[in-house]
Amino acid sequence: MKICLFTENYYKGGLDTFLINLINAWPEPNDQITLVCNQTHAGLDTISKMTKRPLNIKGYHRLFSSSLSRGYGITNLKGSFLVRASFAFAHRLLQYPILFPWYILTLTFFFRSNDYDRLMVVNGGYPASLLCRSALIAWRLSGKQPLGVMNFHNSSTHPPWYFKFFENLIDRLVIASASHVVAVSRNCLESLNNRRAFRGSPKLLYIYNGIQDPLEILKNNPEDNNKFHDKDYCLMLSTYEERKGHKYLLQALHAVTLKFPNLHLKIYGYGLPQEKKQIADEVARLKLENNVTLNDFAPMTGPLLSNASILVVPSQAYESFGLTIIEAMAFSLPIVATDVGGIPEVLKDSNAGYVCSRSNPLEFADAIETILQSPGHARELGRNGRKTFERRFMAVTMAEHYATILKN
């Protein structure tokens, strides 16, 4: 069977991890999988290197994507804020009368000219990419059967009033064109109540994300684990987007360092230069330069997790699952996280760490201190997390669920 995974993405991170684990754990070895993705995605190289089974990656070009909305169409001026803002504004005005029909037309011809048997659209959130939604609709218009699957990874947002008519129309086309609409958590799925067309639909379900056991990966590559020897650091794995809560975390860290002055926070993730600069400025303002290191995206997170003391997840909005949480569980690493989106759902009944109010950085600081003060308690939290990972979040389980709905 020939399976097409269609996505549009601009950030390295959780969506790449999902695709890598889904592809590597796919239960049918004879299936042929193609990833169709924008060529501008910074994570394509990581996906290519880390997938262990045969994978065909087909990149598409600018006129086939919404990258023009980010100002990527004018190479010499793409760094200019005014140019990018102008393109974003133009995109907002033209996306429904011009881009949406263009996407539908080109994608319908694209699917007709390829012999894929199944389609799953992997969308960062909902509505997120107009192109991704168009792909699902175009699959149906191209005459392909069965209908495609829409998978999305972040909470749905309510359409603004001035776009509500068009968004409701597209939502109705999406639900008519999908065999299933799959979220990554119950919380994420329930956010679709923001969108009238999805309410009460029997096509809605959720499948928890899963990952390959990273301990097995490190066992096969023991040299990777020798890169980080210091154990006294907190770890954050995230993009540098504002919603991820870096400033909240730095406020908490400032309080923790009063008792643990040598504690170090390491942050790894993909981000735009201006995003990283804002966080660096906050580090300087709080005089935490000796306690915080800002790093670029790390494709191999196993060594970082295996040598950390605590994983911190200070998200402030739109966190429907928190993939790094189950990575930490797999390494028996205690977790301190906020009560945002699906995070409490993932940690529910695990006793693997603490869930704190997103509006109270001092509560977050207290949780970190509690773990640091009691190594025995930290080990207990870690053991609980490992048991939860084995029971609920293995990649094989996730991939079997997706294979079942794609083939039915």
Side-chain angles (χ1 to χ4, degrees):
M1 184 173 293
K2 296 181 179 180
I3 298 169
C4 174
L5 302 176
F6 188 101
T7 191
E8 182 181 27
N9 194 10
Y10 293 93
Y11 279 88
K12 290 183 181 180
L15 211 61
D16 299 332
T17 302
F18 166 77
L19 288 167
I20 291 164
N21 282 279
L22 178 68
I23 293 164
N24 285 340
W26 195 255
E28 299 294 339
N30 294 325
D31 286 345
Q32 299 177 34
I33 301 178
T34 298
L35 174 64
V36 179
C37 182
N38 53 302
Q39 286 185 337
T40 55
H41 177 38
L44 279 182
D45 187 55
T46 301
I47 294 172
S48 177
K49 289 178 179 177
M50 296 188 68
T51 47
K52 304 304 181 185
R53 62 165 289 156
L55 173 67
N56 177 33
I57 297 179
K58 182 173 290 189
Y60 50 79
H61 298 281
R62 289 175 182 142
L63 291 179
F64 195 51
S65 73
S66 59
S67 58
L68 283 173
S69 68
R70 295 167 174 254
Y72 293 158
I74 302 179
T75 304
N76 294 332
L77 298 177
K78 67 181 180 182
S80 165
F81 171 78
L82 288 177
V83 170
R84 286 187 286 109
S86 298
F87 270 89
F89 179 71
H91 175 262
R92 297 282 284 180
L93 289 178
L94 301 176
Q95 60 179 332
Y96 301 113
I98 296 178
L99 288 180
F100 180 59
W102 167 252
Y103 293 160
I104 295 293
L105 178 65
T106 55
L107 286 166
T108 299
F109 280 111
F110 172 75
F111 287 129
R112 282 184 176 176
S113 64
N114 286 277
D115 57 350
Y116 304 126
D117 301 306
R118 297 291 189 276
L119 170 73
M120 185 164 85
V121 173
V122 181
N123 207 2
Y126 197 92
S129 169
L130 180 62
L131 185 69
C132 282
R133 292 182 288 163
S134 300
L136 188 75
I137 299 165
W139 176 267
R140 181 190 181 199
L141 294 177
S142 70
K144 296 283 189 175
Q145 289 293 333
L147 298 177
V149 172
M150 169 63 77
N151 164 247
F152 70 103
H153 288 251
N154 222 325
S155 300
S156 169
T157 58
H158 194 277
W161 65 267
Y162 45 86
F163 287 146
K164 188 171 290 186
F165 172 81
F166 297 104
E167 284 294 308
N168 186 54
L169 174 63
I170 294 173
D171 287 351
R172 290 184 181 279
L173 292 172
V174 166
I175 200 68
S177 303
S179 64
H180 301 82
V181 176
V182 186
V184 295
S185 67
R186 181 188 296 274
N187 176 273
C188 184
L189 188 68
E190 289 175 348
S191 72
L192 281 178
N193 287 327
N194 286 324
R195 322 280 298 195
R196 185 173 61 189
F198 292 99
R199 295 172 192 165
S201 172
K203 297 182 177 183
L204 308 183
L205 72 154
Y206 65 92
I207 297 173
Y208 286 136
N209 283 334
I211 59 171
Q212 183 182 355
D213 190 345
L215 295 183
E216 293 296 323
I217 298 174
L218 282 186
K219 191 183 298 181
N220 296 328
N221 300 279
E223 66 279 1
D224 288 340
N225 203 33
N226 295 325
K227 299 176 183 177
F228 305 91
H229 297 288
D230 49 326
K231 284 284 292 184
D232 294 324
Y233 66 84
C234 292
L235 178 65
M236 180 178 178
L237 300 173
S238 170
T239 60
Y240 284 94
E241 296 171 272
E242 185 177 357
R243 68 183 177 89
K244 293 295 186 177
H246 297 83
K247 291 184 178 180
Y248 169 100
L249 174 60
L250 293 173
Q251 292 176 42
L253 184 71
H254 185 264
V256 175
T257 54
L258 298 178
K259 292 184 180 179
F260 297 89
N262 296 322
L263 181 66
H264 202 82
L265 167 66
K266 296 184 179 183
I267 302 175
Y268 287 81
Y270 178 80
L272 300 174
Q274 61 266 31
E275 292 172 330
K276 295 183 71 173
K277 183 181 183 303
Q278 289 178 357
I279 297 164
D281 290 345
E282 185 69 6
V283 170
R285 188 185 72 82
L286 294 172
K287 296 180 171 58
L288 292 171
E289 295 95 332
N290 294 329
N291 300 95
V292 179
T293 304
L294 304 180
N295 304 279
D296 292 332
F297 175 80
M300 296 296 294
T301 59
L304 293 168
L305 288 159
S306 66
N307 288 283
S309 299
I310 303 170
L311 177 79
V312 288
V313 186
S315 300
Q316 296 296 292
Y318 302 117
E319 197 68 77
S320 58
F321 187 84
L323 197 59
T324 57
I325 291 175
I326 63 173
E327 292 179 311
M329 286 179 173
F331 279 103
S332 303
L333 184 63
I335 300 143
V336 179
T338 50
D339 57 351
V340 172
I343 290 175
E345 182 181 344
V346 173
L347 282 167
K348 182 180 179 182
D349 299 327
S350 69
N351 197 21
Y354 294 91
V355 178
C356 306
S357 169
R358 65 180 140 187
S359 60
N360 191 346
L362 292 181
E363 181 186 358
F364 204 89
D366 288 342
I368 293 174
E369 291 175 6
T370 299
I371 294 173
L372 293 176
Q373 288 168 346
S374 177
H377 179 52
R379 287 192 293 271
E380 180 183 3
L381 294 176
R383 287 193 295 269
N384 294 337
R386 176 67 195 187
K387 291 176 183 177
T388 302
F389 166 72
E390 293 175 350
R391 188 175 70 251
R392 298 171 62 193
F393 301 119
M394 297 289 282
V396 171
T397 303
M398 173 191 72
E400 287 176 347
H401 287 317
Y402 279 107
T404 298
I405 64 171
L406 268 177
K407 297 196 173 187
N408 287 344

